[in-house]
C-alpha cells in the first residue's frame, strides 16, 4: 500500500482530492503515508482520527498534503466546514479517509480509491484496489502506472 501511495503521488498536483475507502485496517493510512513520501512532505503521516485533519507542508516546491479522517464525522460537507477544505484544496493535495457522502461537494474532479481486503483473514495481506478518476481532470489521466 505504501508503494502504491508513492506511485500515486507522481500523478497528483495541487487541487487534487483523493477519497479513500475500505474496511478498518485495509491500508488507507499506509497508502497516505506513501503519498506523503512521494510528495516530499514534512512530518510523519499518521492517522488523524482524533484530530480529524493534519496538514503536512512540502519540503520542496510541491503542494502540501492535507490528510483528513472523516470516520467520526456523521454529517456531510456542512459538518466539515470548520476544516476549510474548500480553502485548502486549490493549493494542496487533499486526501480524505472515510469521505464518501461527506466531501463530494468539494469538487466534481476527484480520485476515488477503494481498498478491499478479506475481513477476518489475518493471513491474507493481499489488497484489491480500484482507482476511479472522476471529472475532466482524470478523464485522460493514465492510471496504468498504479498497476502492481
Amino acid at each position: 500500500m505504501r508503494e502504491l501511495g508513492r506511485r500515486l503521488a507522481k500523478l497528483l498536483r495541487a487541487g487534487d482530492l483523493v477519497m479513500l475507502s475500505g474496511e478498518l485496517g485495509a491500508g488507507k493510512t499506509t497508502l497516505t503515508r506513501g503519498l506523503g513520501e512521494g510528495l516530499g512532505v514534512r512530518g510523519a503521516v499518521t492517522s488523524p482520527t482524533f484530530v480529524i485533519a493534519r496538514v503536512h507542508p512540502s519540503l520542496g516546491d510541491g503542494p502540501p498534503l492535507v490528510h483528513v479522517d472523516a470516520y467520526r464525522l456523521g454529517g456531510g460537507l456542512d459538518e466539515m466546514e470548520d476544516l476549510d477544505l474548500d480553502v485548502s484544496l486549490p493549493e494542496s493535495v487533499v486526501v480524505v479517509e472515510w469521505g464518501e457522502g461527506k466531501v463530494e461537494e468539494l469538487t466534481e474532479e476527484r480520485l476515488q480509491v477503494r481498498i478491499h481486503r478479506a475481513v477476518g483473514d489475518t493471513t491474507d495481506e493481499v489488497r484489491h484496489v480500484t482507482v476511479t478518476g472522476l471529472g475532466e481532470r482524470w478523464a485522460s489521466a493514465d492510471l496504468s502506472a498504479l498497476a502492481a
Side-chain angles (χ1 to χ4, degrees):
M1 293 309 298
R2 199 169 186 160
E3 178 56 34
L4 176 61
R6 285 192 284 266
R7 288 194 310 261
L8 178 56
K10 295 175 184 175
L11 302 176
L12 297 176
R13 62 184 185 216
D16 285 340
L17 172 64
V18 180
M19 292 176 49
L20 303 179
S21 61
E23 300 90 2
L24 285 171
K28 296 178 294 295
T29 299
T30 302
L31 186 140
T32 307
R33 189 169 296 122
L35 275 173
E37 292 169 3
L39 291 171
V41 299
R42 185 178 71 212
V45 176
T46 60
S47 178
T49 298
F50 297 105
V51 295
I52 309 299
R54 283 198 175 93
V55 178
H56 298 275
S58 175
L59 291 171
D61 58 357
L65 171 66
V66 178
H67 182 200
V68 179
D69 186 333
Y71 182 76
R72 296 186 313 133
L73 302 177
L77 189 58
D78 290 342
E79 188 174 342
M80 298 186 73
E81 275 185 1
D82 289 341
L83 298 178
D84 288 331
L85 293 180
D86 55 335
V87 174
S88 300
L89 184 59
E91 71 270 357
S92 305
V93 170
V94 176
V95 176
V96 182
E97 297 184 31
W98 305 99
E100 288 181 321
K102 298 173 184 170
V103 297
E104 289 90 338
E105 295 173 29
L106 282 173
T107 179
E108 292 180 8
E109 298 185 347
R110 60 189 175 273
L111 201 60
Q112 176 67 52
V113 180
R114 297 180 194 277
I115 306 167
H116 177 75
R117 72 172 175 88
V119 177
D121 183 356
T122 57
T123 62
D124 182 10
E125 291 300 319
V126 174
R127 276 29 176 201
H128 300 279
V129 180
T130 304
V131 180
T132 306
L134 303 169
E136 189 176 323
R137 156 76 173 101
W138 297 103
S140 60
D142 182 9
L143 300 177
S144 65
L146 302 177

